Amino acid sequence: MSVPTPPRSGWTPEELKRRRARSIAIGLALGFLVLMFYAVTIAKLGPQVLNRPL
Amino acid sequence: MSTIAQRFAPDLAPPRASTAEVGDFFALLKPRVMSLVIFTALVGMVVVHPDVHPVIAAASLLLIAVGAGASGCLNMWWEADIDAVMTRTRTRPIPAGRVTREEALAFGVSLAVGSVLMLGLFANWLAAGLLAFTILFYVVIYSMGLKRLTAQNIVIGGAAGALPPVVAEAAVTGQVSLVGLVLFGIIFLWTPPHFWALALVKSEDYARAGIPMLPNVSGPDETRRQILLYSLILAPFGLLPVALGFGGLVYLAVAGLAGAAMLALSVKVYRVRDGQPAARAAMELFGFSILYVFLPFSALLAEHAFGFFRPVPGLPW
């Protein structure tokens, strides 16, 4: 799939490349945040979370 | 296809495209300072042997590092004018024109607020409060206030750089003890000789930027005297972990030798005052001072994380 051309004029190919790299970095950072929240939540719950009346 | 701005405000000029690379934003975090923060904070955590889940400890360490990075970023946002005229800093992302001040401000504030809130949620609010205090102290008290006002700027501002072990201890124990405060004291006392050694060599750079560093205000001789005084206090202070029982034989040997070397290099800076040899002596002290923090803190890490702790004989505890 080709990368869609941005609507705004004045973006050089180099700027587009850098914008894409920044977007990927933001995406990775957000993904890492999700994983960190998940891991910390599990760690905070601890094994006792399974030991409860049903 | 048109953007919302083009549809509703066709006369509006398109926003300038950011030319920043990902690496420029990383550089805003002052990665070398951040690595020192991670290291000292890790030692602050390990020494107190916390009963906390490793995931929580690792996340806290990361957030302390991000908070420190946010401080560095906001410092660069505020000091862009100074950075532009100093040879050491003129290639930083903002003065070089790769990142705008607005981008740096938004990035720094987001990271600062995010790291403090997350540390509060993940660890505790004492640690979060201390991290917020550290960031505010560095950005507002040091960068915006002291740095351009007084020759004691880095003495007081050094407190911000010394706080990470205290924040780390609070994050994993929920309190601040003498252990954290002693580690704070070591870094706090180390900061002036470290920066003044550099300032002796770069005094013209600082003068051009209008920063009242001690060599520019009180002269190089007074700076040399103060460097020696701080080293005289630092060398014995660095042995306090032994007296308090959390530094063992390895720490005693390493901190003792490092303190003696720091003192010897400070004496050399004090005595050699002219020409190239004087500049060389100052740079030797500056170079070794980086090691001074690394070596004793590594000894503490080896003793508490890798089982090298052997109590110093003759101590009553």
Side-chain angles (χ1 to χ4, degrees):
Chain A
M1 203 175 83
S2 64
V3 179
T5 312
R8 205 173 288 137
S9 60
W11 294 73
T12 66
E14 178 61 22
E15 284 168 350
L16 283 172
K17 201 177 113 190
R18 290 180 181 186
R19 187 179 70 169
R20 185 173 163 75
R22 289 198 302 273
S23 301
I24 291 171
I26 292 169
L28 289 174
L30 288 175
F32 180 77
L33 267 181
V34 171
L35 284 178
M36 190 161 73
F37 267 96
Y38 179 75
V40 169
T41 305
I42 297 296
K44 273 184 169 288
L45 286 173
Q48 291 304 314
V49 73
L50 299 175
N51 187 17
R52 68 190 196 283
L54 292 173
Chain B
M1 200 172 83
S2 61
T3 62
I4 293 172
Q6 283 167 336
R7 280 177 63 187
F8 292 100
D11 299 334
L12 201 68
R16 193 187 71 81
S18 175
T19 54
E21 290 185 39
V22 175
D24 292 325
F25 283 98
F26 186 62
L28 284 176
L29 305 179
K30 297 193 177 178
R32 269 188 292 181
V33 176
M34 216 160 68
S35 63
L36 188 68
V37 166
I38 291 173
F39 181 61
T40 55
L42 174 68
V43 173
M45 278 184 181
V46 167
V47 167
V48 291
H49 295 278
D51 182 26
V52 67
H53 197 288
V55 170
I56 308 279
S60 302
L61 192 62
L62 180 72
L63 292 170
I64 293 168
V66 171
S71 306
C73 179
L74 291 170
N75 169 269
M76 284 200 212
W77 158 70
W78 184 256
E79 293 186 350
D81 58 330
I82 296 176
D83 288 349
V85 292
M86 289 182 66
T87 49
R88 192 171 63 88
T89 53
R90 65 169 56 140
T91 56
R92 284 177 174 175
I94 301 176
R98 298 191 301 273
V99 176
T100 64
R101 288 190 73 206
E102 290 75 17
E103 284 174 320
L105 176 64
F107 187 51
V109 170
S110 308
L111 292 183
V113 173
S115 60
V116 168
L117 289 180
M118 284 171 66
L119 190 62
L121 289 170
F122 289 0
N124 56 69
W125 292 102
L126 172 66
L130 284 167
L131 183 63
F133 175 76
T134 307
I135 296 170
L136 283 174
F137 193 89
Y138 186 69
V139 177
V140 179
I141 308 284
Y142 171 69
S143 303
M144 296 181 176
L146 297 169
K147 185 158 182 178
R148 300 178 201 228
L149 285 179
T150 166
Q152 293 297 312
N153 47 16
I154 50 122
V155 177
I156 307 163
L163 274 167
V166 181
V167 184
E169 187 195 1
V172 293
T173 64
Q175 60 174 6
V176 175
S177 74
L178 214 50
V179 172
L181 293 178
V182 166
L183 297 180
F184 167 88
I186 292 172
I187 305 171
F188 182 74
L189 289 169
W190 160 87
T191 308
H194 170 73
F195 279 105
W196 284 336
L198 180 70
L200 275 175
V201 181
K202 302 275 182 187
S203 59
E204 284 177 18
D205 228 13
Y206 284 112
R208 196 164 48 241
I211 304 172
M213 289 299 276
L214 196 60
N216 307 96
V217 176
S218 306
D221 288 353
E222 174 62 16
T223 307
R224 290 185 169 91
R225 197 179 71 85
Q226 298 252 359
I227 285 176
L228 186 58
L229 279 176
Y230 272 94
S231 298
L232 276 168
I233 303 169
L234 175 63
F237 192 93
L239 299 177
L240 265 184
V242 178
L244 292 172
F246 68 92
L249 274 174
V250 177
Y251 180 82
L252 176 64
V254 174
L257 287 172
M262 186 88 184
L263 202 51
L265 289 169
S266 299
V267 169
K268 190 175 174 188
V269 168
Y270 184 74
R271 294 180 66 177
V272 183
R273 300 185 173 205
D274 295 314
Q276 205 55 35
R280 200 161 44 242
M283 285 314 284
E284 277 173 14
L285 175 63
F286 176 71
F288 181 78
S289 65
I290 297 168
L291 268 183
Y292 178 82
V293 171
F294 183 72
L295 290 174
F297 275 65
S298 296
L300 282 178
L301 195 62
E303 287 187 334
H304 291 274
F306 301 107
F308 285 96
F309 186 86
R310 299 288 178 277
V312 178
L315 289 176
W317 47 86

